[in-house]
Amino acid sequence: DAAEMSLKDIDQLAKSSFPLCMRHMLDKLRENHHLKHGGRMQFGLFLKGAGLKLEDALAFWRAEFSQKIGSERFDKEYAYSIRHNYGKEGKRIDYTPYSCQKIISATPSVGDHHGCPYRHFGEENLRAALNKMGVGGHTLEEIMDKVKNRHYQLACTLTFETTHGVSCDSGINHPNQYFTESQKVLR
Ligand code: SF4
């Protein structure tokens, strides 16, 4: 079982251990105080998988969304779907976080922030995002090369390896695996 993720640690954990897809969504959520459905699903289920409890998840999303639409509207329009992700509403299915394969095959439109940055960002944006993670020089070119050859998960694996200073022989195939492996290295 995943360790519990506490609300106050999210930003710190994002910096150290979230894959680029999830960092990007946290940035956008903090910036816009909103994420569209695809983002709420991809990011919300990731956080759940990383150990964020339902009560904390509600507090987390409410804190951002209420800055834009007020907490009453949040409670009315969005709280249900968060409880739903945790299997507390509707058919009470305990939804599992999305794999890389699923995320890579998403088709985000303008204004969406879900998907895989290695697959869905333009070259300039991807380079800038990787620079922000401290990736540059020869390694950055290697990563961009993998992207050009449509090896998105290998590009992500390389990013993991260079930012953590270890090799990841199994390769990255799930954002929650990225998170867990990172925590193993850093703890
Ligand atoms: Fe996220 Fe997977 Fe893409 Fe990495 S390869 S950014 S973990 S979807």
Side-chain angles (χ1 to χ4, degrees), residues 20-174:
L20 186 51
C21 53
M22 303 303 171
R23 280 167 202 251
H24 177 60
M25 280 190 293
L26 180 59
D27 284 350
K28 287 297 164 185
L29 175 64
R30 296 276 194 232
E31 187 183 315
N32 302 329
H33 312 300
H34 193 269
L35 272 185
K36 291 193 177 186
H37 178 75
R40 295 198 303 276
M41 291 298 290
Q42 182 181 317
F43 190 38
L45 290 173
F46 166 79
L47 291 173
K48 174 180 129 178
L52 192 68
K53 297 286 168 248
L54 173 60
E55 284 314 307
D56 286 339
L58 284 167
F60 170 73
W61 292 99
R62 185 185 288 117
E64 287 300 334
F65 272 56
S66 63
Q67 292 179 53
K68 188 159 178 179
I69 59 164
S71 50
E72 241 170 78
R73 235 186 100 191
F74 172 84
D75 288 338
K76 229 190 245 157
E77 294 174 26
Y78 296 96
Y80 177 92
S81 73
I82 290 157
R83 284 196 300 271
H84 193 261
N85 277 354
Y86 279 74
K88 304 294 183 207
E89 300 281 3
K91 290 185 191 153
R92 297 185 174 260
I93 297 165
D94 203 0
Y95 293 94
T96 43
Y98 297 171
S99 67
C100 293
Q101 212 183 356
K102 181 169 170 119
I103 293 170
I104 288 168
S105 61
T107 50
S109 5
V110 179
D112 279 328
H113 300 294
H114 64 282
C116 173
Y118 300 96
R119 165 74 179 85
H120 297 113
F121 277 18
E123 182 174 343
E124 285 314 303
N125 278 346
L126 182 57
R127 283 178 179 275
L130 288 166
N131 277 154
K132 236 177 107 185
M133 289 175 78
V135 181
H138 174 69
T139 314
L140 177 58
E141 298 315 315
E142 244 184 286
I143 293 169
M144 297 310 294
D145 214 54
K146 301 273 185 233
V147 169
K148 263 180 215 127
N149 291 306
R150 306 179 133 260
H151 296 309
Y152 309 115
Q153 288 171 230
L154 287 180
C156 189
T157 304
L158 256 180
T159 305
F160 178 94
E161 291 181 332
T162 185
T163 53
H164 290 76
V166 294
S167 68
C168 175
D169 299 330
S170 56
I172 297 299
N173 53 54
H174 200 294

